[in-house]
Amino acid sequence: MDSVYEVLDLGELACMLTATLCVYHGARRSLENPFDAESADGPVQVTMQMAVLAPLVASLALLVVYFFFEYIQFFYICTCICILGWTLYLLLVPLADRLLPRKAWTAHTVDITLSQIGCGFLAVAALWQWVTTAHWLAQDLLAFSMCVYMLSFVRIPSLKVATMLFVGLLLYDVWWVFFSARVFESNVMVSAASKQATNPVNVISQHLALPTRQLPGLSLPGVLLFPSQRHPGRLSMLGLGDIFLPGLLVALNLRHEMATGRGGLLPHLTASAGTTPAWRSPFRLALGGYVLGLLVAMVMSHYTQHPQPALLYLVPATLLPTLYGASRAGQLADVWNGQSLLLDEDRRTHAATKA
């Protein structure tokens, strides 16, 4: 029997801790802005049609990266650099606002604060560090910020939509990890996730004939990376989809508990005194189930010596506790249809409009 140390690498545990923190913080950030169907600036709400089409769209995107990455890598990595810098900036600004004075300068009718300037410099510095060194820590910071932003910007309106989305992407994950090698020359999922893009600075320097040193290639920023303690030179990896998708359900549970005043983990944020017991809170159960699902996926990867589709473990580990917690609270039908969330979003939007 292997010891716990032999099964659980510190790099994998760091991935699990970072992913859990990302899910928790993303769920908290999802509380900030109500969804307004009439506004184009608010969060994106996943519809049933989107949930049905998600596995097909994800499969097409995966195949494009697998077959045509050599031709699209410059555009792809440059787009990622822009998105990563912007999302890191958006992650840092609310934190900096609490620490720095709110003095603002007006430039062309736009107010610019000290925190915005500081966060802009930090985002550019992190991007430069990643582009010039390809360091895993800089990539993780940027990937973390992108995932938190996505969790705050994309929302699932009901458990019914979440179930359709989860089942479809679970089948997608299992197919491309376990069975794609039987149709294609290699494991498509692993191959796409492990591709490296030519550094765009090298491409521009060569095109302009600039005398600069060669910079390392960049890993695709769709994964968290941590150095393995047992295998020096090797990196433990966790895809952002394995954080983002379960995080959507955790955020749904938190928003529902806020809407009904039944927060078990964050009672100081709830709207009323009546709270669900901590052990019965769907938010807490789903978050704990997410940690357990990640742990099982890592253990199975160790024993099978084969890449595992993490959603195979994360979907039941988060969906089943949510169903159990909602059923025990007598709110399964409400969570399934999202009625309380709809009423709460209407109330908050109306209040914001009046203000």
Side-chain angles (χ1 to χ4, degrees):
M1 179 69 69
D2 292 334
S3 67
V4 174
Y5 172 78
E6 291 174 326
V7 174
L8 299 179
D9 185 270
L10 289 182
E12 294 173 333
L13 290 177
C15 274
M16 184 172 68
L17 179 62
T18 305
T20 304
L21 179 61
C22 184
V23 167
Y24 175 77
H25 187 55
R28 288 286 303 270
R29 291 285 290 264
S30 74
L31 297 174
E32 295 179 358
N33 298 311
F35 173 75
D36 184 0
E38 298 180 357
S39 173
D41 300 327
V44 174
Q45 187 148 279
V46 179
T47 64
M48 184 61 76
Q49 291 82 0
M50 292 179 185
V52 171
L53 291 175
L56 177 60
V57 173
S59 296
L60 291 175
L62 188 65
L63 288 173
V64 168
V65 172
Y66 181 72
F67 284 112
F68 305 108
F69 183 73
E70 179 182 353
Y71 307 102
I72 65 171
Q73 57 176 314
F74 180 79
F75 173 78
Y76 182 92
I77 204 68
C78 288
T79 302
C80 287
I81 288 173
C82 296
I83 294 174
L84 291 170
W86 179 244
T87 54
L88 178 58
Y89 169 80
L90 293 177
L91 176 70
L92 293 175
V93 166
L95 303 176
D97 282 338
R98 303 173 186 175
L99 303 175
L100 299 176
R102 293 176 176 264
K103 182 179 179 179
W105 296 270
T106 302
H108 300 289
T109 70
V110 177
D111 291 335
I112 303 175
T113 65
L114 184 62
S115 62
Q116 291 173 337
I117 296 174
C119 292
F121 277 116
L122 288 176
V124 171
L127 277 175
W128 183 251
Q129 178 69 15
W130 178 55
V131 170
T132 56
T133 67
H135 197 279
W136 61 267
L137 187 58
Q139 174 169 330
D140 285 351
L141 176 61
L142 294 167
F144 181 92
S145 65
M146 182 172 67
C147 205
V148 169
Y149 177 75
M150 290 169 62
L151 286 173
S152 66
F153 190 73
V154 180
R155 301 185 180 181
I156 298 180
S158 66
L159 190 56
K160 176 169 61 177
V161 174
T163 301
M164 176 61 70
L165 182 66
F166 274 39
V167 171
L169 290 178
L170 169 60
L171 296 176
Y172 153 87
D173 208 21
V174 170
W175 162 257
W176 290 112
V177 173
F178 282 152
F179 303 108
S180 62
R182 301 183 182 183
V183 179
F184 302 91
E185 296 179 354
S186 60
N187 188 312
V188 175
M189 182 73 78
V190 174
S191 176
S194 58
K195 286 184 180 295
Q196 276 202 336
T198 302
N199 198 301
V201 176
N202 293 339
V203 176
I204 296 174
S205 298
Q206 292 172 5
H207 182 71
L208 299 178
L210 298 177
T212 57
R213 64 184 178 90
Q214 286 294 109
L215 299 178
L218 299 176
S219 300
L220 299 189
V223 293
L224 289 178
L225 299 172
F226 281 91
S228 172
Q229 185 187 39
R230 290 199 309 263
H231 308 285
R234 182 178 171 185
L235 294 172
S236 298
M237 181 187 303
L238 181 66
L240 293 190
D242 300 326
I243 305 173
F244 172 64
L245 186 65
L248 288 176
L249 182 59
V250 174
L252 169 67
N253 287 327
L254 180 58
R255 295 199 315 277
H256 184 269
E257 290 181 13
M258 287 292 298
T260 57
R262 293 175 175 267
L265 185 61
L266 304 170
H268 60 288
L269 293 177
T270 55
S272 68
T275 61
T276 299
W279 64 272
R280 197 184 294 175
S281 162
F283 168 65
R284 191 167 190 171
L285 288 173
L287 189 61
Y290 178 70
V291 176
L292 180 61
L294 280 179
L295 191 61
V296 173
M298 292 174 184
V299 171
M300 291 301 297
S301 179
H302 170 80
Y303 279 113
T304 62
Q305 295 298 307
H306 187 279
Q308 295 293 301
L311 291 182
L312 179 63
Y313 309 100
L314 294 175
V315 166
T318 52
L319 192 56
L320 293 179
T322 296
L323 291 170
Y324 171 78
S327 178
R328 292 286 296 179
Q331 294 187 328
L332 183 56
D334 189 9
V335 179
W336 182 258
N337 295 306
Q339 188 61 33
S340 291
L341 277 178
L342 181 61
L343 294 174
D344 182 63
E345 296 287 9
D346 288 343
R347 175 183 59 79
R348 294 174 63 192
T349 302
H350 180 67
T353 302
K354 290 182 64 177

